[in-house]
Amino acid sequence: MNSISQPVVSPPANPSRSDWGARALRRIEADYNRSADTHLIPVDMPALAGIALYLKDESSHPTGSLKHRLARSLFLYALCNGWIDEGTTIVEASSGSTAVSEAYFARMLRLPFVAVVPRSTAPEKVEAIEFHGGRCHFIDRPGDAYDEAHRLAASLGGHYMDQFTYAERATDWRGNNNIAESIFDQMKREPCPIPRWVVCGAGTGGTSATIGRFVRYNLHDTQVCVADPEASVFHRHWVDRTVRTTCDTPSRIEGIGRARVEPSFIPGVIDRMEVVTDVASIAAARVLSRRLGRRCGGSTGTNLWASAVIASEMAAAGERGSIVSILCDHGDRYGSTYFNPDWLAANGLDVAPWEARMEAFFRDGRLPD
């Protein structure tokens, strides 16, 4: 008896795997494939023989900051979880840079984007968000951003991206060209290829979680230091895990330091925290900008100050090795603030003595007390 061919019956379509979602994933991956890796810049320190400092220049991303990596990961995570689809309004709570990067990806996918930002956000960042097609929803108190973003997303039938919850899990910390893997690959031919220290800030906590986990997973003899603004709760929580909030006046350093412990902050992967005042961060950013011939932001200054503290300690102990930190974003976004004498004066920030201390570090190899 001849068998009769049976028609092939396709399984029902999975609504979380829409054609639009597949196209969206391809667009993001195509954008990634068109992008080169960011540079690792050696910082000239002739007074410190045997100690090398490098800056991972995340300002060279298409959206000008470290947050470009995070935004790409958050969009991929949300797409693969079936949380966003064609026409979904994306909402994010952000001090600026993450919103700039998410606006870029939202425009790529033709999705509406709304950033919930503090009214004090640098005008240059607001302009960048709007340049990429997003709109800003302003709040007066930074601590209101979370609830307002939730409320706004619900009212618009959209999706709250929530960088503060998902930053540490949206990035594959084992590899896949995350920032840690990129740093270690680029260091392979340097005199001290395995960094003694990696220094970074914490806003969501995602970067320190990725680097700390990667270091441990690969058994590197590297320690992770988080440079934290004085007003932030993170360094307090690292010392005492029962401390979860602070009522201090918010830091003037945009992008890092928080008043509450964010879900993505993983203290157990951090070896040291260095507390840096706002005025020291801004002074260090200004000194480094002059040495590089281009401006960098305040969080980069925070990283540099902490790196200078560590380098000074290493030199005093006769240690050799490399320190890698992060150049987080373009300083041009802070022309009206950190590089504006009137703004500094209005905020009571006398950067001159702190700039002198950083200049002394580069000249003598020691950061004066």
Side-chain angles (χ1 to χ4, degrees), residues 38-39 41 55-61 63-69 97-98 101 125 179 199-203 207 227 253-256 285 288 292 294-304 325-334:
T38 59
H39 293 185
I41 302 173
L55 295 176
K56 181 67 166 162
D57 184 10
E58 295 293 281
S59 72
S60 59
H61 283 295
T63 54
S65 84
L66 168 67
K67 299 299 186 179
H68 191 85
R69 293 180 188 270
S97 288
T98 302
S101 298
K125 286 187 178 180
I179 189 170
V199 180
C200 64
T207 299
I253 308 304
E254 294 183 16
I256 59 172
L288 181 62
L292 295 179
R294 59 188 175 91
R295 289 177 174 177
C296 57
S299 56
T300 302
T302 311
N303 291 341
L304 175 61
S325 193
I326 300 174
L327 198 164
C328 305
D329 63 359
H330 281 299
D332 289 346
R333 292 178 175 175
Y334 308 96

Side-chain angles (χ1 to χ4, degrees), residues 93-94 116-120 137-148 250 258-259:
S94 171
V116 179
V117 299
R119 204 172 296 279
S120 59
H137 180 88
F138 294 100
I139 52 172
D140 293 315
R141 297 187 304 173
D144 292 342
Y146 317 96
D147 289 343
E148 185 62 11
R258 305 295 298 176

Side-chain angles (χ1 to χ4, degrees), residues 23 27-28 47 77 107 128 200 209 243 250 266 276 301 312 324 362 364:
R23 292 196 301 272
R27 284 196 191 107
I28 293 175
Y77 192 69
R107 183 175 68 173
C200 64
V243 177
I266 312 297
V276 184
S312 297
V324 178
F362 281 111
D364 305 325

Side-chain angles (χ1 to χ4, degrees), residues 195-211:
R196 184 70 187 84
W197 287 92
V198 175
V199 180
C200 64
T204 62
T207 299
S208 58
T210 297
I211 294 172

Side-chain angles (χ1 to χ4, degrees), residues 99-163:
V100 174
S101 298
E102 288 188 14
Y104 170 91
F105 286 102
R107 183 175 68 173
M108 179 188 301
L109 303 182
R110 297 178 176 83
L111 299 176
F113 178 77
V114 183
V116 179
V117 299
R119 204 172 296 279
S120 59
T121 299
E124 293 88 347
K125 286 187 178 180
V126 173
E127 292 171 5
I129 293 167
E130 293 173 345
F131 172 80
H132 289 297
R135 69 177 178 88
C136 292
H137 180 88
F138 294 100
I139 52 172
D140 293 315
R141 297 187 304 173
D144 292 342
Y146 317 96
D147 289 343
E148 185 62 11
H150 271 296
R151 185 199 67 77
L152 198 59
S155 69
L156 296 171
H159 173 65
Y160 173 28
M161 199 66 90
D162 195 0
Q163 59 169 323

Side-chain angles (χ1 to χ4, degrees), residues 36-99:
D37 200 357
T38 59
H39 293 185
L40 190 65
I41 302 173
V43 179
D44 189 28
M45 298 194 305
L48 284 171
I51 300 175
L53 174 63
Y54 303 83
L55 295 176
K56 181 67 166 162
D57 184 10
E58 295 293 281
S59 72
S60 59
H61 283 295
T63 54
S65 84
L66 168 67
K67 299 299 186 179
H68 191 85
R69 293 180 188 270
L70 173 59
R72 180 172 58 222
S73 294
L74 289 170
F75 269 89
L76 291 172
Y77 192 69
L79 283 163
C80 291
N81 283 329
W83 293 344
I84 59 178
D85 206 336
E86 186 172 11
T88 301
T89 297
I90 306 300
V91 179
E92 184 62 284
S94 171
S95 63
S97 288
T98 302

Side-chain angles (χ1 to χ4, degrees), residues 1 7 26 46 95 193 206 208 210 216 222 226 236 244 248 263-264 297-298 316 362:
M1 180 182 296
R26 292 190 186 101
S95 63
S208 58
T210 297
R216 284 155 178 75
T222 300
V226 168
R236 295 170 168 88
R244 304 198 63 83
D248 287 1
S264 286
F362 281 111

Side-chain angles (χ1 to χ4, degrees), residues 304-306 308-309 312 354 357-361 365-369:
L304 175 61
W305 194 274
V309 170
S312 297
W354 298 85
R357 290 176 65 185
M358 184 53 65
E359 293 285 8
F361 165 73
R366 302 289 191 277
L367 187 64
D369 293 331

